[in-house]
Amino acid sequence: MSENKKIDPVFVAILDSHLNAIAEEMGTAVMRTSMNPVFAEAGDFGVAILDSKLRLVVEKDYLAILASAVSSSIVNIAQAYEEDTFEGDIFIHNDPYAGNTHIGDVNIVKPVFHQGKIQFWAGVKGHLPDMGGPGFKVSCYGSTEYENGLILPACKLYEKGKLNRGVYDIIMRNNKLPEATWGDIMCEIGGVTIAEKRLQQLLDQYGDETFNNAIDEILNSSEKQMRYLIAQIPDGDYYGEKSVEYREPSLEIKRLTARVKLSKQGEEISIDLSDSDPQVNNCWNCSWAGTVGACQLILAYNLPGIARRNQGSMAPIKVFAREGTFTNPKFPASTLMTTTESPDCIMEAVVKALSQAIPAHVAAPHAKHAHYVYTVYNNRTNRTLRNVDFFMVCDPSGGTEGYDGWDMGGPSFQLGGAQFPDLEIYELLLPIHILRHEHEIDSAGDGKYRSGLGHVYKVQYLTDIVHGHLSGAGMEDYSVPQGLFGGHSPKPSTMEIQHSDGQKERIKVNLPFTFQSGDIFEFHNMGGAGFGNPFERDPEKVLADVKDEHISVSKAREIYGVVIDGDKLKIDIDATEIMRKQSKNK
Amino acid sequence: MPKYRIGIDVGGTFTDYLCVNDAGISEIYKVPSTYPDPSIGTMKGLNDMAINKNVPLSQFLSEISLIVHGTTITTNMVLTGSQAKTGFITVKGFRDYVNERRGRKRTLFTPKESPPAPLVPRYLIQCVGGRIDCEGKEFIPLDENDVYEAIDIFKKEKVEAIAVSLFFSFLNPSHELRVKEIIEKEMPEAYVCVSHQVLPQVRIYERASTTIFNAAVAPGLRLYINNLLAKLTDNGFCGNMLLMQSNGGVMSPEMAMNFAVNTLLSGPAGGPKAALFYSEAHNIQDIISVDMGGTSFDACLIRNGEPEITIENDVAEYRTAVPSLAIHSIGAGGGSIAWVDSSGILQVGPRSAGANPGPACYDAGGDDPTVSDADLILGYLNPDYFLGGKKKLYPAKAEEAIRKKVAQPLKLDLHHAASAIYKIINMNMAQGIKMASIRRGYDPRACALVVAGGAGPVHACDIAKELEMKLLLIPKTSSAFCATGMLVSDLKHDYVRSCYALMKEGQFDAVMINSLLQQMEDEGRETLAREGVLPDKIEISYYADLRYLWQLREVEVPFPRTDGSFTPKDIDELHGIFDQKHRDLYGYDLPDIPLELICLRAKVKGIIEKPRFKDTLVVNTPVSSTIKGHRKIFYNDDFITVPIHDGRLMGHGHQLVGPAIIEEPTTTILVTTGYQMICDKYGSYLVFAQGEDLNMVLDNLTQY
């Protein structure tokens, strides 16, 4: 290929659209056929395609933080089996210290051959129902990876199209839900098989060389695009930090702090997390893939424009962290929170640093999330199910100049890519009655642009025993997301259990938890953070919020300086003016 | 004596008519649509016909036996926010699930985006106590006080329509029925509909959203239909009127008024039926029907003579789950804007210059280069014969726009830049067809491509080439395409019953399954009888929504009933059908895993008598006599001079080889190098590869 060969701009655009369509089709196959509500109803997975030079060509985010770590896993697999990969091979892999997020997220990866040569790698990463580890009755959250489950370094589940019996048996023998797990591995295989078929058709049609030239061009263009976006940010060094709560093995609640030095020079950004807290003796460590993904995703969300996400666009973003911090832990530290609390904490620290640089673009942080992972036997359907309760994860986002936050869309590590389960499907699957799931009045982080609303979630368990683990953050004053430029922070989340004998109990996150039949769990999830001074919010918007019962009349008055007649639903314009003027003079 | 049948397609801008007399001779009419009361425009068109036939309106109307009416009125209401003020009653504690739309954002990587404005704002969503569990048992009784309180609020807010959706109402409708009863008594002026009657199937978000949609558009549709019927009967019409529905069938006005949500695709749903009609002359049953207009490109797959159906349909970003033709729509049309993104990659669409200001070449203030501008610069469009010469195009404006916004940034010359726009929009459309076919598990190579819409036939050859589709069929008069489809549609009603069963011998209740099938059949027969269909004109087919045990999403497949009822020995056949479909769709199957049945469906058709269209006479003039000039065009990186044929002079029997352009008053057909064209007995243009034999091409379509 000659150096100055002119690339056909038409073919570049065409290929770009093909690749996106294939990635989407992979995702559809997974989502439509999974046996696991975490995939099928909530979209807790991601897909990616790499080229023969192991460059990320396209990825499709369902759960953003998962998608961003498919490529690092594929790179690890491809390098480990450099000389030993054949057509028909399918790899399986979940090692957090070799490019993966955490043990529960399992990669299925297929090399795509064309005319005897590897041209692509297609991968799907999804959160499987079980990957071994301790029984359901104890906390599944150990302080080392050894306690968390079966670590699978890159290995072949299929070799030359034939099932590798040994690997299959090891996985199934160590699995508490072998049938459901195998079903989901199959749907990941479906995803990569579809990618293989479609990519081979395209290679037949266009030829390997044309194809690869066009990919070079897409990656170069995407890098240019990202450099252009980064160039909009004023040069300088910016600092941000964020703490969330975690528990020591003794169950004592402690603070874990991410510290970000973001430095922007020309068209490049570097993020250094080396001053973050040391790794912890529990599962709040973030595997390296998670740390890098967190930084890339939150930058992409807040930059003044949208760039493709591939190897090219990620090139101008460098992430560093000293080994031994919780953002770059040493094996065998446990990394189970890699797709939740740990990246979220890093992301808010990045937002804080960025807010100094691009106040007009940055969004106030998302709500902190909490979730319950549990295993339950359903008498009605005769089935044991392991579930992540995504109704708890319906977190709102923060406000930004010109826009209020969304009421739903999930926390920062989902960025609105996950979807929330259907209420009836949940009741059919699980032995529960969902008693309430709706917005809570006055739960938003207030501001000129307020956050989305927080939710109340109330669920009753109808079966004897439900074993699980409640994890999350945002129940301490320091861990709530912080408002920007005068915007307010929301109140911390709260949790309460009402036992069948009527006894009530306040609880906090990050504990193993067992519910008895009839127990009602009530969760008041926070709003996101507000943006700008609430006294500057358009009074008509405040009135609309009062009418919709998103904000109370008293809050409208006290926090927003808007005096509203609650019966007539009318703004008292004079009183509002006086209130707002007084506040300015203060 | 009744002698006319009329198809009327009320679109957003124009209302198109096809009038067929009992000798099979058809005429086309067109008038501007009139909003907010489209019945004015509808009547005007009928009046025009009467004037044209030199008879009084009353006499003309009395001679009409059938009017089939398709209308975008309901879609239009939602797009313009003129739907009824709607209240929504749902379960206490769940006020927000509909407006949260299950949470997913359109664009992940920006906070600068707002969700679509809700159809029902939160203050008009009221919650009532009472719960039914997942087995249909009541565990909290209905709190009627809550219902009365909700009604008070709705009265105060002057709500016109009320939707009700409660948990598991499809298993136990008692709470919904009681709420409906109270509303009808307390607020008889309001239109009310309940979810288990609109869509008795699981997934509350989809069911509720569909029910709300139904409530929001029903009052407006009722008013319109009653208005139109009154105007028609007052003026002497005593024939039958039917309405086109989203599923590709027609229904009586009474059904339409109760299930207004079924009319959301009432206009475009005529298209695939028309495609089938024009293809039948050649025995083609597998078709991809496409329609490229100013802003959108719609593709619909037709297999074995049946258009594909979907239950996941978003109209103006609101979800409806009633069975509708699976029309895959992408933002690609003559008005699609070409732009170079911040990475330097050329994009075309989805933003459109629409009709106003329109493409730069309209010289109406638009300065963005569009697909039509590219088509003009490339020489495919005639600046003096656009819309038959009714609209003048300005090549200088098109050139300026393309130079400035595409050629210069990409360092291309004018014609290569225009050609790039042409190629990319073609690729986008090919991608849209793939979505409608390959993504649904079908190979487009087995299908004929039927191309309608003014902008489509300029692009069709390249699209077909990209997809290796062997035959194109371009109806001569595409402007009344949908109206034609309406006249050849049958009555069609879809029924669904939620029915959970594990499809393993001894584990399911065949009696219950058969009784549900029977229930749907009875309901269908009853409805069709009311619509005047005789029993021997009724066709019923059964389907099931199935999944592998423990999966969470279903796939619809035909449901076998070998001996008139379903028995355990049908399971193997069912499993085989399902495995195959699963493999085609998702790349794998699990033949050892038992199937779960989630829903049973019946599609009940009442066959109506179709107008017989008269074949056109073979035209004896040589094809060269239709040439009205020559033009230089830029195609495939080269300038070539091609003959321009006057489509009005072309007819049955004419043939030509590409490159050539045929100019019809409503469209332009580009037959590219390597293709040939034959004009058939309906005046449709059949286009296929040069050197091939038409009969062979037709035979080969069935090889896949």
Side-chain angles (χ1 to χ4, degrees):
Chain A
M1 161 183 117
S2 66
E3 275 302 300
N4 54 4
K5 183 178 169 188
K6 183 150 169 46
I7 310 273
D8 178 5
V10 179
F11 183 65
V12 172
I14 287 171
L15 187 70
D16 189 44
S17 121
H18 276 309
L19 289 168
N20 277 306
I22 294 172
E24 202 180 301
E25 195 177 355
M26 292 168 77
T28 307
V30 174
M31 197 149 187
R32 298 262 161 171
T33 67
S34 168
M35 298 177 169
N36 169 358
V38 176
F39 276 24
E41 290 289 310
D44 191 353
F45 66 94
V47 307
I49 297 170
L50 273 64
D51 71 355
S52 58
K53 296 174 196 153
L54 298 179
R55 298 176 301 181
L56 173 66
V57 174
V58 64
E59 75 178 32
K60 178 91 193 148
D61 305 275
Y62 290 86
L63 205 125
I65 193 83
L66 259 68
S68 70
V70 182
S71 71
S72 48
S73 302
I74 296 180
V75 169
N76 181 271
I77 293 166
Q79 284 168 349
Y81 284 79
E82 209 177 344
E83 299 297 320
D84 195 23
T85 304
F86 308 101
E87 192 155 8
D89 287 355
I90 297 177
F91 292 91
I92 188 165
H93 167 270
N94 76 345
D95 187 348
Y97 286 84
N100 194 29
T101 37
H102 68 82
I103 283 179
D105 295 337
V106 175
N107 297 285
I108 289 290
V109 172
K110 191 167 200 182
V112 178
F113 280 75
H114 189 247
Q115 292 166 349
K117 272 172 45 192
I118 299 175
Q119 292 294 348
F120 289 99
W121 296 80
V124 178
K125 181 201 298 292
H127 193 167
L128 295 195
D130 187 49
M131 258 333 260
F136 295 140
K137 288 192 182 174
V138 297
S139 163
C140 50
Y141 294 172
S143 55
T144 71
E145 296 290 39
Y146 298 120
E147 295 146 61
N148 290 337
L150 185 64
I151 306 174
L152 289 169
C155 56
K156 289 183 186 181
L157 183 58
Y158 283 80
E159 187 162 44
K160 298 179 182 171
K162 197 166 166 275
L163 180 69
N164 186 339
R165 196 76 224 180
V167 170
Y168 173 85
D169 285 344
I170 290 170
I171 296 169
M172 293 302 127
R173 187 72 179 129
N174 282 280
N175 204 292
K176 297 181 286 297
L177 298 167
E179 279 170 308
T181 302
W182 184 245
D184 277 358
I185 289 175
M186 278 308 292
C187 84
E188 292 188 285
I189 291 177
V192 295
T193 305
I194 279 183
E196 178 191 39
K197 212 152 92 185
R198 301 283 180 262
L199 287 164
Q200 285 173 339
Q201 280 163 357
L202 288 178
L203 288 163
D204 281 344
Q205 194 177 349
Y206 297 113
D208 302 354
E209 194 188 324
T210 320
F211 213 109
N212 286 319
N213 289 341
I215 286 176
D216 287 345
E217 187 59 27
I218 290 175
L219 298 183
N220 289 339
S221 307
S222 307
E223 180 166 347
K224 242 175 27 199
Q225 187 175 34
M226 182 57 93
R227 287 182 179 278
Y228 169 80
L229 294 181
I230 292 174
Q232 319 290 306
I233 304 172
D235 282 356
D237 295 325
Y238 308 98
Y239 178 78
E241 65 174 55
K242 179 67 192 173
S243 303
V244 290
E245 67 265 43
Y246 81 102
R247 283 190 202 248
E248 287 285 313
S250 65
L251 300 185
E252 185 192 349
I253 296 177
K254 284 199 166 177
R255 274 169 93 133
L256 182 67
T257 305
R259 296 182 185 86
V260 163
K261 273 194 278 194
L262 186 151
S263 129
K264 188 275 175 178
Q265 282 302 321
E267 297 177 337
E268 291 185 5
I269 282 183
S270 78
I271 294 176
D272 190 349
L273 288 148
S274 294
D275 293 337
S276 299
D277 281 353
Q279 67 185 60
V280 292
N281 194 15
N282 210 324
C283 57
W284 274 262
N285 304 296
C286 195
S287 65
W288 183 237
T291 297
V292 175
C295 295
Q296 292 173 344
L297 290 173
I298 201 68
L299 273 177
Y301 180 67
N302 285 292
L303 284 177
I306 298 173
R308 276 178 200 72
R309 289 179 41 71
N310 58 32
Q311 197 80 22
S313 60
M314 294 305 119
I317 301 168
K318 303 276 187 291
V319 181
F320 305 94
R322 189 170 47 78
E323 198 183 30
T325 61
F326 86 94
T327 58
N328 186 10
K330 279 188 212 157
F331 187 76
S334 169
T335 62
L336 281 180
M337 296 303 177
T338 292
T339 57
T340 52
E341 279 65 63
S342 327
D344 184 71
C345 163
I346 295 169
M347 284 162 125
E348 185 168 339
V350 174
V351 168
K352 218 166 277 175
L354 267 182
S355 68
Q356 301 149 39
I358 40 171
H361 296 287
V362 85
H366 290 67
K368 297 296 158 205
H369 101 294
H371 69 263
Y372 186 47
V373 187
Y374 61 102
T375 307
V376 66
Y377 176 74
N378 191 346
N379 283 314
R380 212 175 59 77
T381 58
N382 219 356
R383 180 186 176 195
T384 301
L385 207 92
R386 190 162 166 81
N387 190 38
V388 179
D389 194 336
F390 267 84
F391 279 112
M392 294 178 66
V393 198
C394 298
D395 297 81
S397 61
T400 180
E401 182 68 47
Y403 298 82
D404 289 341
W406 284 55
D407 299 324
M408 246 183 162
S412 55
F413 48 86
Q414 291 179 354
L415 293 178
Q419 120 181 335
F420 298 94
D422 183 85
L423 291 153
E424 286 177 343
I425 294 286
Y426 247 43
E427 291 206 348
L428 280 165
L429 273 175
L430 301 157
I432 57 172
H433 281 151
I434 301 175
L435 299 176
R436 195 171 172 202
H437 189 261
E438 64 185 352
H439 297 163
E440 186 159 32
I441 192 163
D442 290 342
S443 59
D446 299 296
K448 182 180 181 188
Y449 300 101
R450 63 162 174 81
S451 77
L453 275 292
H455 291 76
V456 200
Y457 177 49
K458 199 169 162 186
V459 59
Q460 182 168 35
Y461 296 91
L462 303 174
T463 195
D464 292 349
I465 284 179
V466 185
H467 295 295
H469 200 286
L470 264 171
S471 64
M475 303 191 71
E476 308 295 329
D477 287 334
Y478 55 81
S479 64
V480 296
Q482 266 185 25
L484 292 178
F485 314 113
H488 294 197
S489 301
K491 288 190 296 250
S493 303
T494 60
M495 289 176 179
E496 188 180 85
I497 295 170
Q498 188 186 321
H499 296 290
S500 39
D501 59 8
Q503 287 264 17
K504 286 185 177 178
E505 183 188 352
R506 287 291 278 265
I507 54 170
K508 283 195 171 179
V509 281
N510 303 325
L511 281 176
F513 214 90
T514 299
F515 290 104
Q516 309 289 331
S517 181
D519 283 355
I520 293 173
F521 172 61
E522 185 166 333
F523 176 43
H524 294 258
N525 196 20
M526 64 174 66
F531 186 102
N533 182 353
F535 266 65
E536 289 170 21
R537 186 170 176 83
D538 178 352
E540 289 299 327
K541 282 188 177 174
V542 178
L543 178 66
D545 276 340
V546 169
K547 194 168 184 185
D548 277 338
E549 295 176 86
H550 283 144
I551 290 179
S552 63
V553 171
S554 61
K555 191 171 195 182
R557 186 192 181 95
E558 284 153 28
I559 307 291
Y560 288 92
V562 178
V563 184
I564 291 171
D565 178 330
D567 292 327
K568 292 191 190 127
L569 286 175
K570 271 215 169 103
I571 302 174
D572 183 335
I573 297 171
D574 296 339
T576 299
E577 216 164 85
I578 293 167
M579 269 204 85
R580 290 195 155 189
K581 225 178 240 162
Q582 279 172 350
S583 109
K584 233 177 219 168
N585 296 339
K586 261 186 226 161
Chain B
M1 268 303 283
K3 54 181 177 186
Y4 298 109
R5 289 157 201 251
I6 296 178
I8 307 177
D9 174 20
V10 182
T13 323
F14 289 105
T15 300
D16 291 300
Y17 298 78
L18 182 79
C19 174
V20 188
N21 70 11
D22 44 15
I25 295 170
S26 54
E27 299 166 287
I28 289 167
Y29 292 84
K30 196 183 199 81
V31 298
S33 300
T34 53
Y35 288 97
D37 180 7
S39 68
I40 297 169
T42 308
M43 289 306 292
K44 179 171 184 310
L46 292 167
N47 203 36
D48 285 1
M49 287 183 207
I51 292 169
N52 199 24
K53 294 183 189 312
N54 231 340
V55 294
L57 178 65
S58 58
Q59 186 190 331
F60 175 61
L61 290 180
S62 72
E63 289 176 346
I64 299 172
S65 60
L66 177 69
I67 290 177
V68 183
H69 187 30
T71 168
T72 54
I73 181 166
T74 45
T75 309
N76 213 63
M77 275 183 232
V78 176
L79 291 175
T80 57
S82 57
Q83 74 274 10
K85 187 164 187 184
T86 307
F88 176 48
I89 291 183
T90 191
V91 180
K92 185 163 245 165
F94 299 88
R95 199 172 177 185
D96 299 302
Y97 66 92
V98 167
N99 289 346
E100 289 190 328
R101 310 159 81 253
R102 298 191 66 186
R104 239 191 121 110
K105 274 178 80 186
R106 275 184 307 255
T107 322
L108 261 53
F109 294 107
T110 177
K112 309 268 182 194
E113 183 183 88
S114 296
L119 267 181
V120 182
R122 194 172 199 256
Y123 71 92
L124 294 179
I125 300 179
Q126 297 299 328
C127 300
V128 298
R131 285 290 293 273
I132 306 289
D133 74 10
C134 67
E135 292 183 326
K137 293 197 279 270
E138 177 186 276
F139 71 95
I140 302 176
L142 180 69
D143 186 338
E144 298 195 358
N145 284 332
D146 290 343
V147 183
Y148 288 105
E149 271 171 36
I151 292 173
D152 282 345
I153 291 170
F154 292 159
K155 279 183 177 161
K156 209 175 87 195
E157 293 287 345
K158 300 194 173 56
V159 157
E160 300 158 276
I162 300 169
V164 183
S165 185
L166 306 176
F167 286 135
F168 297 107
S169 60
F170 56 94
L171 296 176
N172 175 353
S174 59
H175 288 188
E176 277 191 2
L177 288 172
R178 179 65 188 138
V179 173
K180 187 181 183 186
E181 198 177 28
I182 297 174
I183 297 170
E184 281 172 343
K185 193 162 142 265
E186 297 292 316
M187 211 175 157
E189 69 278 17
Y191 173 85
V192 53
C193 61
V194 294
S195 78
H196 77 275
Q197 289 175 349
V198 174
L199 188 74
Q201 76 182 47
V202 69
R203 291 186 198 277
I204 187 139
Y205 163 62
E206 278 82 358
R207 191 170 72 246
S209 177
T210 307
T211 309
I212 288 174
F213 222 128
N214 194 61
V217 298
L221 184 70
R222 278 191 164 187
L223 194 68
Y224 169 69
I225 293 177
N226 285 333
N227 225 331
L228 180 63
L229 275 174
K231 282 183 188 171
L232 285 170
T233 45
D234 288 353
N235 284 291
F237 174 69
C238 48
N240 213 351
M241 185 168 93
L242 296 171
L243 275 108
M244 191 73 200
Q245 46 179 338
S246 315
N247 70 2
V250 292
M251 61 182 160
S252 62
E254 294 72 38
M255 285 291 281
M257 288 190 271
N258 285 327
F259 298 99
V261 68
N262 287 343
T263 62
L264 284 170
L265 292 177
S266 174
K273 298 303 275 193
L276 254 171
F277 167 75
Y278 286 112
S279 305
E280 258 166 14
H282 308 283
N283 267 328
I284 304 170
Q285 294 282 305
D286 295 334
I287 300 162
I288 289 168
S289 149
V290 300
D291 188 338
M292 181 188 185
T295 53
S296 74
F297 173 81
D298 299 334
C300 182
L301 174 74
I302 300 165
R303 289 277 300 173
N304 298 321
E306 290 293 335
E308 283 275 298
I309 297 288
T310 180
I311 53 165
E312 294 175 11
N313 196 16
D314 288 327
V315 177
E317 294 202 69
Y318 305 107
R319 173 55 58 94
T320 68
V322 289
S324 307
L325 293 191
I327 295 177
H328 189 87
S329 191
I330 60 168
S336 291
I337 293 170
W339 52 288
V340 176
D341 74 16
S342 60
S343 71
I345 292 181
L346 177 61
Q347 311 277 349
V348 186
R351 211 157 63 78
S352 168
N356 198 3
C361 61
Y362 282 17
D363 195 22
D367 57 0
D368 285 319
T370 66
V371 169
S372 292
D373 293 312
D375 291 345
L376 181 63
I377 292 302
L378 295 169
Y380 308 156
L381 295 182
N382 181 348
D384 301 317
Y385 196 69
F386 191 66
L387 294 179
K390 284 185 197 146
K391 185 156 192 79
K392 190 159 170 49
L393 301 182
Y394 298 88
K397 293 286 174 186
E399 179 175 338
E400 190 189 328
I402 293 175
R403 275 197 196 285
K404 210 165 118 195
K405 300 202 171 164
V406 179
Q408 282 161 14
L410 292 179
K411 299 187 179 65
L412 294 171
D413 66 42
L414 173 68
H415 288 89
H416 280 93
S419 176
I421 297 171
Y422 180 76
K423 288 177 184 171
I424 287 168
I425 197 77
N426 290 348
M427 175 55 56
N428 289 350
M429 291 189 277
Q431 206 69 261
I433 290 176
K434 284 188 180 180
M435 296 288 228
S437 54
I438 297 176
R439 289 282 291 273
R440 296 181 162 268
Y442 295 113
D443 190 336
R445 290 175 298 180
C447 301
L449 184 64
V450 177
V451 188
V458 164
H459 298 262
C461 283
D462 268 25
I463 297 172
K465 202 169 181 181
E466 169 66 27
L467 297 166
E468 298 178 51
M469 294 178 74
K470 302 292 188 297
L471 181 70
L472 292 133
L473 189 151
I474 303 164
K476 200 174 172 73
T477 49
S478 62
S479 71
F481 192 67
C482 289
T484 308
M486 288 164 195
L487 268 190
V488 298
S489 294
D490 293 310
L491 289 151
K492 188 177 164 206
H493 302 298
D494 296 310
Y495 298 93
V496 59
R497 294 287 184 274
S498 281
C499 172
Y500 180 83
L502 187 63
M503 295 277 100
K504 250 167 124 177
E505 189 157 0
Q507 301 235 4
F508 67 93
D509 182 356
V511 176
M512 182 180 70
I513 290 176
N514 286 310
S515 87
L516 288 174
L517 294 174
Q518 192 60 46
Q519 239 182 52
M520 293 190 283
E521 178 177 334
D522 293 346
E523 200 176 322
R525 286 187 185 278
E526 216 171 281
T527 304
L528 286 178
R530 277 203 306 276
E531 290 174 329
V533 180
L534 297 172
D536 64 330
K537 295 288 180 199
I538 294 177
E539 284 177 7
I540 304 174
S541 46
Y542 302 95
Y543 298 82
D545 292 1
L546 293 162
R547 60 193 189 198
Y548 290 123
L549 178 63
W550 296 357
Q551 279 186 338
L552 289 135
R553 300 278 177 148
E554 301 81 51
V555 175
E556 185 195 285
V557 294
F559 195 68
R561 298 206 312 167
T562 345
D563 305 321
S565 62
F566 183 80
T567 62
K569 64 177 190 290
D570 292 316
I571 291 179
D572 283 348
E573 186 186 344
L574 189 65
H575 219 297
I577 298 171
F578 184 84
D579 290 343
Q580 175 68 42
K581 179 106 186 184
H582 199 274
R583 222 163 34 237
D584 289 343
L585 285 174
Y586 306 125
Y588 73 103
D589 61 4
L590 301 165
D592 300 331
I593 305 278
L595 299 176
E596 277 180 310
L597 172 69
I598 303 302
C599 283
L600 291 165
R601 296 178 183 276
K603 303 187 180 180
V604 182
K605 240 189 210 181
I607 309 297
I608 57 173
E609 201 201 327
K610 314 291 185 310
R612 288 176 299 109
F613 288 84
K614 209 171 163 180
D615 295 356
T616 54
L617 295 175
V618 175
V619 182
N620 288 317
T621 52
V623 73
S624 58
S625 70
T626 66
I627 296 177
K628 59 178 180 180
H630 287 80
R631 194 156 71 223
K632 202 165 76 170
I633 67 167
F634 189 77
Y635 181 76
N636 235 354
D637 299 336
D638 263 324
F639 285 102
I640 44 175
T641 299
V642 303
I644 311 297
H645 295 262
D646 186 341
R648 290 171 306 178
L649 304 176
M650 300 194 82
H652 189 180
H654 273 142
Q655 302 191 18
L656 56 76
V657 279
I661 283 175
I662 302 164
E663 289 183 354
E664 285 282 351
T666 53
T667 188
T668 302
I669 298 143
L670 172 64
V671 182
T672 60
T673 316
Y675 280 93
Q676 58 178 321
M677 184 289 292
I678 293 178
C679 190
D680 77 2
K681 63 176 181 181
Y682 291 153
S684 300
Y685 298 108
L686 296 172
V687 180
F688 51 99
Q690 203 179 325
E692 292 204 23
D693 175 65
L694 178 60
N695 289 323
M696 290 285 284
V697 171
L698 288 167
D699 282 350
N700 283 339
L701 279 184
T702 54
Q703 297 297 304
Y704 282 94

